[in-house]
Amino acid sequence: MTRGARLLVEPWQVREMGLREDDLAESESLFALSNGHIGVRGNLEEGDPAGLPGTYLNSFFEERPLPYAEAGYGYPEVGQTIVNVTDGKIIRLLVDDEPFDMRYGTIISHERTLDLRAGVLRREVVWRSPTNRTVKVTSTRLVSFTQRAVLAIDYTVEAVDAPVRIVIQSELVANEELPQTSKDPRVAAALHDVLVPECHSSNGARSLLMHATRTSGLRMAVACDHVLHGEASLHTYAEPDWSRTTIGTSLAPGQRLGVTKFVAYGWSSRRSWASLRDQVDGSLSTALHTGWETLVDEQRTYLEEFWRGADVEIDGDPAVQQAVRFGLWHVLQAGARAEGRAIPAKGLTGPGYDGHSFWDTEAFVLPVLSATAPEAARDALMWRRDCLDLARERATTLKLEGAAFPWRTIRGQECSGYWPAGTAAMHINADIALAAMRHAWWSADTTFEREIALPLLVETARLWMSLGYHGDDGCFHISGVTGPDEYSAIVHDNTYTNLAAARNLRYAADVAERHEDAAEALGVVDDDLARWRDAAERMAVHHDAERGVHQQFAGSTDREVWDFAESAESDAYPLLMNYTYFDLYRKQVIKQADLVLALHWMGDSFSKEEKARAFDHDERLTVRDSSLSACTQSVVAAEVGHLDLAYAYLLEASLMDLRDLEHNTRDGVHVASLAGGWLALVCGFGGMRDHDGVLSFDPALPQAIRSLRFAVRWRGWQVHVAITRDHVTYTLEDDVDGRDGHVDLVHAGETFTLTTTEPVSRPSQERIPLTPTPQQPAGREPITSG
Amino acid sequence: MTRGARLLVEPWQVREMGLREDDLAESESLFALSNGHIGVRGNLEEGDPAGLPGTYLNSFFEERPLPYAEAGYGYPEVGQTIVNVTDGKIIRLLVDDEPFDMRYGTIISHERTLDLRAGVLRREVVWRSPTNRTVKVTSTRLVSFTQRAVLAIDYTVEAVDAPVRIVIQSELVANEELPQTSKDPRVAAALHDVLVPECHSSNGARSLLMHATRTSGLRMAVACDHVLHGEASLHTYAEPDWSRTTIGTSLAPGQRLGVTKFVAYGWSSRRSWASLRDQVDGSLSTALHTGWETLVDEQRTYLEEFWRGADVEIDGDPAVQQAVRFGLWHVLQAGARAEGRAIPAKGLTGPGYDGHSFWDTEAFVLPVLSATAPEAARDALMWRRDCLDLARERATTLKLEGAAFPWRTIRGQECSGYWPAGTAAMHINADIALAAMRHAWWSADTTFEREIALPLLVETARLWMSLGYHGDDGCFHISGVTGPDEYSAIVHDNTYTNLAAARNLRYAADVAERHEDAAEALGVVDDDLARWRDAAERMAVHHDAERGVHQQFAGSTDREVWDFAESAESDAYPLLMNYTYFDLYRKQVIKQADLVLALHWMGDSFSKEEKARAFDHDERLTVRDSSLSACTQSVVAAEVGHLDLAYAYLLEASLMDLRDLEHNTRDGVHVASLAGGWLALVCGFGGMRDHDGVLSFDPALPQAIRSLRFAVRWRGWQVHVAITRDHVTYTLEDDVDGRDGHVDLVHAGETFTLTTTEPVSRPSQERIPLTPTPQQPAGREPITSG
């Protein structure tokens, strides 16, 4: 049975039938549970076999040196790597002294189900031991959205065909052995024995371990306790690096032993070990007091509330239906309870990219969260605001004004040692500022606008003013930067960067004007606003008159075109693994949407025809060696009328992990690509835009989708959009308490007012493409079915 | 007494009066002796104190890992670092049991003289010991040009005012302790205990040590023997890492003890230890048999022959007179007996830049050697030819055709880990090919042309064809490369690179046509020649029509101009130590001559007016943070008529080390800058060019120089040029045996025939500048006096 066939397509579940050792690491990422504060990979309870054991606490990292063959001024010298913390998931089982291990004996059946409405991972195994004893093991696992320190596992063993002696060993394990890592730069650095024991204790069914990192000076605590369902002996023992609660009994056929394991985590860079110990113990007691059933109920209620204003329903493609919900689930998991910490590229589902956050969060994930889980978006931007001091320091090192945010980081310090694509990728600053502006529009939260958006906008506006310059041609230019496309670097006037910077400058002036006193406190003077607006107004954008297309950067369209046929023939994708950047940088080959990304988010800066031509041009050069591309290509393909191509890219974005399209889901899911599945549906086929804070729609469906419904949270309201081939129906609901009201929206260019009293229906506009459907580079055609 | 004042200005000597511990490392570089095969720094014989002990064998290196914060395809992973091999210079002295150490007792006088005609370093010290015994120590040291394995030191101690007991300990010392190195990227990597002992022996006054490197698999041997002048006891003892010959006696006042120490070195990557031991022992026996006096005579004769066809005489500036001879001396030392090995940037005078060779050799040093010591130039190019296989491999890694030479290397493998300035600096390939073409012109050696120049030209021509492309505009473009100016990177159509590549292509076709069979053996087909010439013909060069200047690269003149005033104010030169490359790359700031370098070597591609304007433009942007700039600025300043500015740059180039202008002479002398002093005089004020193999002159003198005479070796002849303010006189002599003959030369655009029978005199042309003398960036005006 292939991997794909073992994952059932169901609207609200991801169900895996059977077990294959080679697929374990991938499943562990798919089935990872997280609330944004703690994350546990979908490792089997019994620990062995494992693809990659993983338990993470948001922003709990160790430092490592960043080495250079040839050092230079301003190179970051300290990296940060997410730590696999003490594993609280482990529940080993001995059946008549035989370890329950899927590699031995016989798996009669094995099924795991991720339930997206219940927010739990269920497992049911029937296993015959090498000594011919059959047991049925069921477990249900959750990481609580309502109690953010808590992981809980309900675990039951049943004797099936013969009496058995059962021993359950429920453990906490620190410094787990991890597999070797590869040379792939997308994989995490290997760290060994990072956790230094600080204290351990046990009492009754409860135990606690505390550890600290060697270098980064962080301290963590984990405690667990157990509730038994059935008669059994119980003993708990703790050592510095592990604790174990041993539960033993004998079961007659049909008889069961159940145990609910509650685990609480905490960490701090500043609190004393005693206060941290007490905090974790307190969280654990609360969870015990709440009890398993109530935790499960709270989880479902939390998710019902989420889905009510966030769900996307598709008629016509069950795979995409499942995928978009799976994507929203991981987006929510990554941010729900991050509360002032970063949202990493992999969420807390794996160690890929060292657990770092990049621009993906602001450019792909936050637009989804602002529209579906606004508090998570607000918290993520609060984290950026809280990093402003570090970003100001970095700007000073770079001899720039304002704030320069890190290309990759956990805690806020720049950790990118590869500067042509790191430090030079200045667009991240506009991505952050514009995500803050967007969130202010969507939330209509003026406190957020004043306290979070304003400082982010102002400090990044200052950055752009010092980074760019007024050329002799009267334009404002930004030189020597790297745009979103990482197969070009150190270019002049990257269109995406320039347009984003222009908006950054303009909104900074607008928001500063709205919050005069707060702006003044940030040192903003009137002259600044004029200078920012002037630079925005004069921002350079390069157009190739001869070819009639915008350029990704000055001169981009004059470059040699990559030999795609050769790369396809030698099976050399992703190109970065087989060619030097020296090669990639100097030719026309696009790793990921760059100008096309501008067509999406800054679409009002282009005419319809310009968009059609630019998409057509770049489409032939884009190899999608990044997971941050298909969704944008989908959105713009839909806009310019290539609806079936848009659909193919939707498949790619949303199935990135369920189909392991980039062969690295094992290191964690691609949160931004999963967010991109939502973007492809809502911004692509829904035609939703929020330019300048005006919410507009212009839906059009591909062949494969008969109807599409989705909800977004807009300024405290839920806007429900139901799209069929002919009509679009808009419905308004209050997001909190059902009061009446209205919002102004735009449908296909026409403004209308939507009230809570009455839905509005409008005819769908036919989408006529201005160019024939473009070809992709050889070997890089999108997948065409889920 | 300042450093400068302690170095006397004399026409044929560099004499240092007194001794200061802080200046030791710098003097050690200035007084380093080398024949291109072995190099010994000017360390004091007694070993202590030392700035930086140094003994080097050409291409004897250890490997070290090149680490990366983020790895990537094609990154070199193994670096090479020159090894400080077993020190044969050590002669310690005990005076009545008191170690002779300049930091204790009293230096009554201390004088060291580098004699550029004798090719020896002399030292004379009168020292009063802490116990009030005065001795006079004299030493004369040479590294033989005629016996390339041999270092010899003649050492004498004289009791001055009281009877003394003298002990001389003459040693070989392996794995010397070296001082800590800094973060400056121009300094070598620190290696410790690199030499693993293989065998040691002693017999009579002779001892031998053999070592091998741990990783690079190289083996070296050193042996020494002693001849006594006077009565003394003698005992020799060897350990794995050191050997010692102890010589003891008592001296009455006025009485002397002399010892001549002969040291022979050898190394191999392939030969057995026994054969290497015998080789070194044989070299040592030959030296002993030759004897000190004859070695000294041979040395002087060798140098007389060299200077006869290479000397430059200046009337008007004694400092420059000394400097240009000192420069030629170091250029000769770096290459004389390298014999198929590299000529490193520092020669064998120090560990700077890890002992690597760069493009400087071909672009600055070989033009001088081809004109003054042709065999050394030939051998250096033979080394490149011998590296072709490695360069082909590197090209394959880079997915290019032909050969891609390493940016920095000792043995031939790419060792540059900083790729925007390393791998992308493709011009090195043209630099090598054109140096080979130049050498064929100068030597008229058709065997060289066929066997060395042809393969170098052909393989690099292939590289350019695969690196560049024909654009839609009909031009041939080369994108994403880094030109000579290291403050720009990954640019489109670097003018220097493109023009050099064009010549590379053209000459490859020409030479292939002249050696049809050899070209065919290299796989060259007729169609290649046409394609190469066509690409050369269509090579893109960008001109800024609005500003009326050529661009260093496409768009260069549109960039923001660096804030030089701010850098000057914050004393932030060299900029690379205080600003990120991200900052430097995106602005108009030139580290070193780039377009101006093209104006020199490809001057026939520009009109007089174009040269004047381009020089004027770039002069205002060039900060000379590289030692590879002043000489070129001098040459072009002279050509465009700014003769006094040219003179200032001549001072800078030629006094680079004698005045330690870049504060890093301690790590070794700047061989290319010293060669540049010669270029500034001969190509600048002498106006010498060799475009397309035609030797031309167009002299003009600055105020400070009354007359200038120089000789060059041209096609087996010596061309002597004597320039006064009014006239230029050309004289021809056969370089070998005085036969009669003639050559065609060009004076100020007019061709004439020069015969051995009669000098030719021509009036000097007045040089009228087309622009006012340009200003340099704030804080970077050239020095104005020696």
Side-chain angles (χ1 to χ4, degrees), chain A residues 67 69-70 73 75 77 183 399 417-419 467 469 472 479 547 558-560 578-580 585-586, chain B residues 67 69-70 73 75 77 399 408 417-419 467 469 472 479 547 558-560 578-580 585-586:
Chain A
E70 295 172 46
Y73 170 87
Y75 286 18
E77 291 179 355
K183 279 195 167 185
K399 305 287 193 317
Y418 179 53
W419 84 258
L467 185 63
Y469 66 99
D472 291 350
S479 253
R547 296 180 185 84
D558 300 326
R559 298 288 186 279
E560 184 177 9
N578 297 288
Y579 300 86
T580 57
Y585 283 177
R586 70 175 196 277
Chain B
E70 295 171 46
Y73 171 87
Y75 287 16
E77 290 178 357
K399 306 286 192 321
R408 56 186 301 175
Y418 178 53
W419 85 257
L467 185 64
Y469 66 100
D472 292 349
S479 254
R547 295 179 187 85
D558 300 327
R559 298 289 187 277
E560 184 177 8
N578 296 289
Y579 300 86
T580 55
Y585 283 177
R586 70 176 196 275

Side-chain angles (χ1 to χ4, degrees), chain B residues 588-662:
Chain B
Q588 287 197 66
V589 49
I590 303 176
K591 184 182 182 190
Q592 61 206 103
D594 186 308
L595 178 58
V596 173
L597 192 66
L599 301 182
H600 174 194
W601 295 107
M602 279 83 78
D604 52 344
S605 292
F606 301 87
S607 73
K608 261 189 178 338
E609 292 68 27
E610 287 171 347
K611 279 188 257 199
R613 281 200 300 270
F615 179 79
D616 184 77
H617 181 271
D618 279 17
E619 184 68 1
R620 298 161 198 278
L621 302 169
T622 305
V623 293
R624 303 192 313 290
D625 282 351
S626 162
S627 63
L628 306 181
S629 194
C631 65
T632 305
Q633 288 172 267
S634 181
V635 170
V636 179
E639 178 171 357
V640 301
H642 308 304
L643 292 163
D644 296 327
L645 178 60
Y647 173 73
Y649 284 134
L650 159 65
L651 289 179
E652 244 189 52
S654 60
L655 293 170
M656 182 60 65
D657 290 308
L658 284 171
R659 297 291 179 277
D660 194 14
L661 296 179
E662 289 199 348

Side-chain angles (χ1 to χ4, degrees), chain A residues 64 66-75 77 183 185 394 397-400 408 415-420 423-426 466-469 471-473 477 479-481 489-492 546-547 557-561 566 575-583 585-587, chain B residues 64 66-75 77 183 185 394 397-400 408 415-420 423-426 466-469 471-473 477 479-481 489-492 546-547 557-561 566 575-583 585-587:
Chain A
R64 63 183 180 99
L66 292 181
Y68 299 95
E70 295 172 46
Y73 170 87
Y75 286 18
E77 291 179 355
K183 279 195 167 185
R394 181 68 181 156
T397 300
L398 298 174
K399 305 287 193 317
L400 293 167
R408 56 187 297 174
C415 295
S416 174
Y418 179 53
W419 84 258
T423 291
M426 280 286 156
S466 66
L467 185 63
Y469 66 99
D472 291 350
D473 59 357
H477 298 276
S479 253
V481 297
I490 316 188
V491 303
H492 185 61
E546 202 163 312
R547 296 180 185 84
T557 50
D558 300 326
R559 298 288 186 279
E560 184 177 9
V561 174
E566 191 273 331
L575 302 178
L576 66 95
M577 299 297 284
N578 297 288
Y579 300 86
T580 57
Y581 280 105
F582 168 62
D583 211 1
Y585 283 177
R586 70 175 196 277
K587 295 181 183 163
Chain B
R64 64 183 178 98
L66 291 181
Y68 299 94
E70 295 171 46
Y73 171 87
Y75 287 16
E77 290 178 357
K183 278 196 165 183
R394 179 70 181 153
T397 300
L398 298 175
K399 306 286 192 321
L400 294 168
R408 56 186 301 175
C415 295
S416 175
Y418 178 53
W419 85 257
T423 292
M426 280 284 156
S466 66
L467 185 64
Y469 66 100
D472 292 349
D473 59 358
H477 298 275
S479 254
V481 297
I490 316 186
V491 303
H492 184 61
E546 202 162 315
R547 295 179 187 85
T557 51
D558 300 327
R559 298 289 187 277
E560 184 177 8
V561 174
E566 191 273 330
L575 301 179
L576 68 95
M577 299 297 284
N578 296 289
Y579 300 86
T580 55
Y581 280 106
F582 168 61
D583 210 1
Y585 283 177
R586 70 176 196 275
K587 296 181 183 165

Side-chain angles (χ1 to χ4, degrees), chain A residues 44 71 304 322 357 361 410 487 680:
Chain A
L44 304 177
E304 268 170 10
Q322 179 188 50
S357 296
T361 303
I410 292 178
Y487 286 171

Side-chain angles (χ1 to χ4, degrees), chain B residues 684-702:
Chain B
F685 301 124
M688 185 179 87
R689 296 290 185 278
D690 59 5
H691 299 315
D692 283 341
V694 176
L695 190 62
S696 65
F697 300 88
D698 190 3
L701 297 179

Side-chain angles (χ1 to χ4, degrees), chain B residues 458-533:
Chain B
V458 164
E459 290 293 38
T460 48
R462 287 173 171 156
L463 181 83
W464 295 118
M465 291 309 291
S466 66
L467 185 64
Y469 66 100
H470 290 276
D472 292 349
D473 59 358
C475 291
F476 191 82
H477 298 275
I478 302 173
S479 254
V481 297
T482 298
D485 167 25
E486 295 180 336
Y487 286 171
S488 299
I490 316 186
V491 303
H492 184 61
D493 286 335
N494 171 258
T495 298
Y496 173 86
T497 304
N498 283 20
L499 289 177
R503 275 158 212 247
N504 191 157
L505 289 161
R506 184 148 53 83
Y507 298 141
D510 294 351
V511 173
E513 216 160 44
R514 281 204 289 280
H515 304 277
E516 241 179 272
D517 52 333
E520 206 182 297
L522 290 165
V524 177
V525 296
D526 279 355
D527 187 43
D528 287 335
L529 309 195
R531 285 171 52 245
W532 297 347
R533 284 174 172 142

